[in-house]
Amino acid sequence: MREYFIKYKKAFTLIGLLLVISPIFGVYLASLIGYQEPLDIAASMLGLNETTEEINWTPLLDYTVPGLPDWLGYIVSGVIGVLVVLVLAFVFLKLTRL
C-alpha cells in the first residue's frame, strides 16, 4: 500500500490541496452568492416541506461536523469521503489479485 502513495504522490498532493481549498467554493462562495441546491428550489416550487432535519441519520449533515466551524467540517467531511473511497479501492484491488 505504501508503494501506491509513493508512486502517486502528485495525485495525493492534489487531492490534499483540493480538500483544503474546498470550503472556499462550498462554504464561502456559496453563501456569498446565496446558492441553493436545484432540488431544494424545485421542492420549494412544488410546495414540499423540508424533512431533512426530521429524518436525518447522519452526523455530517450538509458536510458539517457538530462542534466545528463550517469550513473545517467541510474539510473533515472531504477527508472522510476520500478515505472511504481509498479503502474501498484497496479492498477491491486485494480481492482482484487473489
Side-chain angles (χ1 to χ4, degrees):
M1 192 159 78
R2 184 181 177 123
E3 64 269 4
Y4 288 103
F5 289 105
I6 294 170
K7 184 177 180 180
Y8 299 109
K9 183 179 178 180
K10 288 182 183 179
F12 287 112
T13 302
L14 178 61
I15 291 169
L17 176 66
L18 291 173
L19 285 171
V20 170
I21 67 169
S22 66
I24 294 171
F25 301 99
V27 177
Y28 177 70
L29 292 177
S31 64
L32 185 67
I33 64 170
Y35 176 77
Q36 291 182 338
E37 291 289 333
L39 286 178
D40 290 342
I41 295 170
S44 175
M45 291 172 71
L46 294 172
L48 301 174
N49 296 330
E50 176 71 38
T51 59
T52 303
E53 298 291 332
E54 299 166 13
I55 62 172
N56 179 34
W57 56 269
T58 178
L60 303 176
L61 178 65
D62 291 334
Y63 307 104
T64 60
V65 177
L68 294 179
D70 287 348
W71 65 268
L72 186 56
Y74 216 80
I75 294 172
V76 170
S77 296
V79 169
I80 291 170
V82 167
L83 290 177
V84 167
V85 170
L86 285 176
V87 167
L88 289 173
F90 282 119
V91 167
F92 181 73
L93 185 64
K94 282 286 189 186
L95 289 174
T96 57
R97 289 192 176 180
L98 292 178

